[in-house]
Amino acid sequence: MLQNLATGNTTPEFQRLSRLVDLSVRLNSTLDLDALLHIIIRTAAELLGCETASILLYDEKQPHLFFAATSGTHADQLKQLTVPIEGSLAGTVFRTNRSIIINNAEKDPRHYGFVAKKTGLLVHSLMGVPMRIHARQTGVIEALNKNDGEFTQEDETILTVIAAHAAVAINNARLVQALQSALEKSNEADRLKSDFLTLASHELRTPLGIIIGYAT
């Protein structure tokens, strides 16, 4: 690699590694969740050479996966859809905590065809990798429709690295959001307390003034 840097002749493998390093730097430099998600899916789609990439996060309140971010032309339609844990390829990845590569997705019985019907996005090949933080499942990152050839084990390795970075970045962004929300609630409570004391002080002045007048 050092020789590649010195000569300026970079191999495809070196270029992918450089992109992964760049992704790590960018994810560590922002805590805006939406921005993070779009950086992740754009990088994944470009590195893997596929039609689209998606991040599906787990909804603990209503046990299913939902599209948190998607690259490509179907992004707005997919954001309105959910994917079941049972009976879907993404759900299989989430439940088993194992990656899958399906290069003939239409014929796989686990394929969730409802998404294709709603969006018109036909899934020919699919690769899914689990996202987890501290051994806890947080979601799945998918790559759909390889542009040239089939998804490979090398592609799986790349997506696994991206998923690891993504899980940590998303978890950190959520923690910051929770902290900001708690701080805002604390500030609001302080404001309400201050307003109450001001109001109480004002309201007490009138009866106290009358009492003092009588006493005088």
Side-chain angles (χ1 to χ4, degrees):
M1 290 185 182
L2 292 176
Q3 184 178 1
N4 286 329
L5 282 173
T7 61
N9 297 322
T10 57
T11 63
E13 292 79 7
F14 182 81
Q15 292 174 1
R16 286 193 288 268
L17 179 60
S18 297
R19 288 295 304 277
L20 290 175
V21 172
D22 178 64
L23 173 64
S24 179
V25 172
R26 294 182 67 186
L27 292 183
N28 286 322
S29 64
T30 178
L31 289 171
D32 180 83
L33 184 55
D34 288 336
L36 286 171
L37 294 175
H38 284 92
I39 290 171
I40 294 164
I41 58 174
R42 282 201 308 270
T43 302
E46 291 170 6
L47 282 176
L48 298 171
C50 62
E51 180 180 351
T52 183
S54 300
I55 290 177
L56 296 93
L57 297 178
Y58 179 59
D59 186 344
E60 296 181 355
K61 296 180 180 179
Q62 299 179 1
H64 58 224
L65 297 168
F66 64 92
F67 287 93
T70 304
S71 65
T73 58
H74 299 84
D76 292 337
Q77 294 170 296
L78 288 172
K79 277 189 176 181
Q80 303 173 13
L81 302 178
T82 60
V83 175
I85 302 297
E86 299 285 346
S88 69
L89 291 169
T92 301
V93 174
F94 183 83
R95 285 187 294 102
T96 62
N97 192 27
R98 296 179 63 184
S99 303
I100 59 171
I101 295 177
I102 307 294
N103 284 308
N104 193 1
E106 304 101 315
K107 295 184 179 180
D108 194 295
R110 298 167 297 179
H111 176 53
Y112 186 57
F114 179 78
V115 172
K117 291 179 182 178
K118 283 292 183 179
T119 64
L121 175 62
L122 299 178
V123 181
H124 306 297
S125 56
L126 179 147
M127 179 170 58
V129 171
M131 294 194 304
R132 50 185 175 269
I133 183 72
H134 304 312
R136 180 173 60 87
Q137 292 288 87
T138 59
V140 174
I141 182 167
E142 284 185 341
L144 304 179
N145 300 338
K146 182 83 169 179
N147 294 328
D148 185 16
E150 299 182 341
F151 287 116
T152 65
Q153 293 299 320
E154 183 180 357
D155 292 329
E156 181 185 343
T157 300
I158 292 172
L159 193 58
T160 299
V161 173
I162 293 174
H165 285 305
V168 173
I170 291 170
N171 185 65
N172 289 343
R174 283 175 164 176
L175 290 176
V176 170
Q177 285 184 341
L179 180 61
Q180 290 175 338
S181 177
L183 183 60
E184 289 173 1
K185 289 180 180 179
S186 176
N187 291 337
E188 178 66 12
D190 289 341
R191 186 188 66 78
L192 291 174
K193 179 181 177 181
S194 177
D195 290 347
F196 172 76
L197 292 175
T198 300
L199 178 62
S201 175
H202 174 75
E203 294 298 327
L204 285 172
R205 285 196 189 108
T206 300
L208 284 175
I210 295 173
I211 293 171
I212 293 172
Y214 276 119
T216 301

